Structures are given as C-alpha cells and as structure tokens.
Amino acid sequence: MREKFLPRYGNEIRLVSAVRLLAGSKKFKNLISEDIYFLDSATEAIAFFIENLNSDPKTVVGVPLYTCSSVLEAIRTTNKPIKLLDIVLDETGYHIDLEQIRNVEVMVFIHYFGVYFNDIAIIRDMYPNLIIVEDCSHVLFKNHVKSTFTAASVFSFNLHKPISCGAGGCLVVKNDTKKSNIIKSYFKLPVISFKADIKRFMMIMIKNYAHTQIFQNIIKNYLEKRRKLRASTSPHHNIQPHKLSFLSRCLLGNQYHAQVDCSSKSNYLRIDKRFRLKVNKAEAEKLLYFPVFLPNKDTRDAINNSLNELSIDSFILWENFLHNASYYSDKINSCPDTKTYSDRILYLPEALITNSDNSARFNKVIELLNKIK
C-alpha cells in the first residue's frame, strides 16, 4: 500500500489569523519602526532601495547566480547592470571569491536556508565603500541581526517563508545617510486597491490549503506545468513598489504574534554530516529549508526519485535559475562553481523533519542516504 503523500509545504497561515483581521491590524502597529518600511513584497523592497540610492545609472549590482529570479527582476527594474557572482554552497556553508566583487558597487548578499552567513564583515573590510543589501527572505524576521556592516536588510512574508502571509516584505534601513530620500519616496508609494487586495487574499487562502492529501494530484500536475512553462518563457516584468496592503498588514500582525511552533527542527542533525549543513542545534532550529548535499547530480536525481516513490515530495529549489538568469546576463558560463554545487542540492519537506508522525519515513530517508558511499 502506497504511503500517504507528504507535500513539500503545509498549511502555513493559521485560520484564526485570516478570521481575526481587525485584531491583526492592531498587532501590526507594534511592528512599526522608523527603520522599517513595509512593502508589498521583498522583491519590491529590493527594487525600492536600489532605486533610491541616487547612484549612477551605470552602478554595477552584484548578486549570486544561485538566487530566485525575483531578485534579478528587482535589480533589472532599476536599470542597473547586473554582475552574477559565482559561489560555492555546500555542507560547510557559503563561500565566495572576493575578487569577483572588485568592480561591484552594490551587492545583494543572500542568507540561504535561514542561516546567517558571517562573511559580510570580511567583504566590508576588503571593500569599505561597497553598499551591501542583505536578502533575508529565508531568515525569521524575529531573529534579525542588526549588522553595522550593511546598508539594509530585506525580509519576505510570502508563502513558504518564516513568517508566512502570502504577500508582503519589508526593508530595514541601517545607514542614516540613505534614510532621508527613502522616507520621502516611501510616503509617495501607492497601495493596491481594496478590490485587488480582497482578490489576492482569497487566492492566498486557496494556495495555503492546496498542499493537502485531497489535492495532491491536482497540485503536483499544476506545479509541473508551471515548471515547464517557466523553463521556456521569459521571467521579465516591471516591478512597481507599493506600500503593504491593508489585508496583508492584518495577516502579518496576526502571524508575527502567533504562538511559536514547538516542533523540533534539530532532527535535521540526525542526517549524516556528509549530507547536511554543518550547523549546531540552535542554528538548526532557525532553518527554513532543509538541504541535503549529494556527491553529484546523478546521485541527487536518484535519491529524489527514491523519495518520490516513498510519496515524499522532495524538491529542487529554483530549479530554473540558470534559464531565468540567462535573460539578465550572458555571463552564466563564468560561474562554474554555482552550476556544479547547485546540482548536488536536494531539499526535504519540513514536515518530514519536524512531525513525529513521519519519523518512520524519516528513518527510511536516513537509511537511504547512509547507503551512499
């Protein structure tokens, strides 16, 4: 008998958060700060910040090739040249050849998986005039680290993020010299119409409950069609920053103050050190994604197929990133390490790690990995 399907994501927005909207509106007010600017998405936050630097139109923005296409979209919207950065991302962490940044004036530094990577201080020492924007989309907003080495941090409140609201993001500005222009521009930003807000809210709730046993085949077929479409189409569209909408503010207020999930993510540490991030227990509890690092692409694909046979929806994050990046730069071939190391990464569903009901299947995954020589 085939085991129950284990989707990569689950229900992320609490029903009470969606129902008690007025309560959420009041809670949201507690998040307001002079350093924080709430926008309709993290993508808009990145575009908004770079646009308001008042820098030369030829200012080069560096960003790792291994990233979501929305980050590249944000930079492209500002009409700044993009330099793709080659990185090594493996079980030991995040490594970058700093010589690549020599001609970069603005850098988007990505904190992958929910872990803060500490190379920023080294980068700033080598390039003191470099403007660094931290992409903290995978990092819990409550765990925000106030770095003195960076100009700004960007957080996401979309689905599949640490605080999941289906939409929204924020910009945390740390450099006082940048604030005056940002404040003026922020208050001029529009808000989406209430009609559009309601329509999006309904779509968010549908997506939130879509990853269930009942809809598994529909969702898998839908996602497969979307992946094929993305692999053959241009991701281009212009980004117009907006202030965070009313309903998104309400959801964020409720979701931010929701009861803390007590499920243990440190079970991730049960995976052999050869195949997982070398993090401690405290760092493991902050993870958003649970990567497994395999010896090569063939092994990764074989393990992925084996997990799918166990009805475990393991997945490859940003699997079309090379295709998407080709629309923004012709320098993809200058990033060989990114291609090599990204081909090794497979992601496990969070529920496989944290839900005790799935412990038997998690044991099967561990046994499967331990057979790899």
Side-chain angles (χ1 to χ4, degrees):
M1 181 178 177
R2 192 171 177 84
E3 294 190 76
K4 181 179 177 182
F5 176 69
L6 181 60
R8 65 188 67 179
Y9 306 117
N11 298 339
E12 302 171 17
I13 299 177
R14 301 161 69 244
L15 183 59
V16 67
S17 294
V19 172
R20 301 188 62 189
L21 293 174
L22 292 180
S25 179
K26 294 178 181 178
K27 293 175 182 177
F28 174 79
K29 293 178 181 178
N30 296 328
L31 303 179
I32 296 174
S33 165
E34 63 178 7
D35 299 325
I36 303 175
Y37 303 86
F38 291 95
L39 291 96
D40 232 22
S41 70
T43 307
E44 293 184 13
I46 293 173
F48 176 74
F49 179 76
I50 294 176
E51 186 67 44
N52 283 280
L53 288 176
N54 287 335
S55 54
D56 188 290
K58 296 182 180 179
T59 296
V60 177
V61 181
V63 60
L65 170 58
Y66 188 61
T67 187
C68 177
S69 63
S70 63
V71 177
L72 300 174
E73 274 296 294
I75 301 170
R76 189 194 69 87
T77 296
T78 69
N79 294 314
K80 302 284 194 296
I82 297 174
K83 180 175 182 180
L84 298 175
L85 305 175
D86 196 18
I87 65 168
V88 171
L89 194 60
D90 60 16
E91 57 275 13
T92 63
Y94 182 175
H95 312 283
I96 182 169
D97 180 1
L98 300 186
E99 284 296 321
Q100 298 179 79
I101 312 173
R102 184 167 297 281
N103 297 318
V104 170
E105 291 141 293
V106 179
M107 179 183 178
V108 178
F109 188 97
I110 302 173
H111 294 291
Y112 297 96
F113 316 129
V115 176
Y116 267 105
F117 292 98
N118 299 317
D119 289 353
I120 292 179
I122 300 172
I123 294 173
R124 189 58 185 272
D125 285 343
M126 190 168 180
Y127 301 103
N129 296 321
L130 178 67
I131 297 173
I132 302 175
V133 182
E134 295 178 83
D135 182 345
C136 301
S137 296
H138 293 179
V139 177
L140 181 61
F141 186 46
K142 295 178 182 180
N143 294 332
H144 176 224
V145 175
K146 293 184 177 180
S147 169
T148 58
F149 300 104
T150 60
S153 294
V154 171
F155 292 84
S156 175
F157 307 120
N158 206 340
L159 290 174
H160 322 319
K161 297 299 185 288
I163 299 177
S164 182
C165 302
C170 75
L171 172 69
V172 181
V173 181
K174 305 173 184 179
N175 190 326
D176 290 338
T177 61
K178 312 293 181 187
K179 283 184 183 177
S180 58
N181 190 53
I182 286 175
I183 291 172
K184 292 177 183 177
S185 299
Y186 181 74
F187 284 108
K188 294 178 182 177
L189 290 179
V191 181
I192 65 171
S193 69
F194 189 62
K195 181 179 179 180
D197 202 12
I198 292 176
K199 182 178 179 180
R200 183 173 67 183
F201 178 81
M202 294 174 65
M203 288 302 300
I204 288 170
M205 297 313 297
I206 290 172
K207 290 179 181 178
N208 182 58
Y209 289 98
H211 291 277
T212 61
Q213 179 73 20
I214 298 174
F215 302 110
Q216 61 165 299
N217 290 328
I218 297 174
I219 292 300
K220 289 189 75 173
N221 291 335
Y222 170 73
L223 290 176
E224 190 60 35
K225 288 181 180 179
R226 283 192 65 185
R227 290 183 193 116
K228 290 180 180 178
L229 181 64
R230 287 175 177 173
S232 60
T233 58
S234 165
H236 287 185
H237 67 278
N238 288 322
I239 295 167
Q240 302 294 332
H242 296 77
K243 290 180 186 175
L244 189 63
S245 69
F246 172 73
L247 292 179
S248 292
R249 287 173 179 240
C250 296
L251 274 179
L252 177 56
N254 282 330
Q255 289 288 95
Y256 182 90
H257 292 93
Q259 187 174 0
V260 177
D261 184 5
C262 296
S263 59
S264 177
K265 297 180 179 180
S266 61
N267 283 332
Y268 175 68
L269 301 181
R270 292 181 55 208
I271 297 173
D272 191 293
K273 289 182 179 180
R274 293 178 296 160
F275 308 118
R276 63 165 174 81
L277 281 170
K278 289 180 170 56
V279 293
N280 58 38
K281 185 175 181 179
E283 290 170 329
E285 294 294 350
K286 297 176 182 178
L287 290 176
L288 173 66
Y289 289 103
F290 300 87
V292 175
F293 301 91
L294 287 311
N296 50 55
K297 184 179 185 299
D298 289 342
T299 305
R300 182 197 67 180
D301 292 345
I303 294 295
N304 191 31
N305 290 334
S306 296
L307 294 184
N308 279 288
E309 288 176 4
L310 293 172
S311 295
I312 297 172
D313 192 18
S314 52
F315 59 100
I316 300 167
L317 187 66
W318 304 328
E319 59 185 317
N320 292 322
F321 78 94
L322 289 172
H323 167 78
N324 293 334
S326 67
Y327 286 94
Y328 306 95
S329 173
D330 58 359
K331 304 295 184 182
I332 293 177
N333 291 333
S334 65
C335 299
D337 284 342
T338 300
K339 177 68 169 63
T340 299
Y341 285 90
S342 63
D343 278 347
R344 299 175 54 216
I345 309 176
L346 184 66
Y347 294 83
L348 302 177
E350 179 175 342
L352 179 69
I353 309 292
T354 60
N355 191 331
S356 58
D357 292 339
N358 297 317
S359 58
R361 267 198 282 187
F362 187 35
N363 288 336
K364 290 181 181 179
V365 173
I366 292 174
E367 289 174 7
L368 191 64
L369 293 174
N370 287 341
K371 292 178 182 178
I372 300 173
K373 295 181 180 180

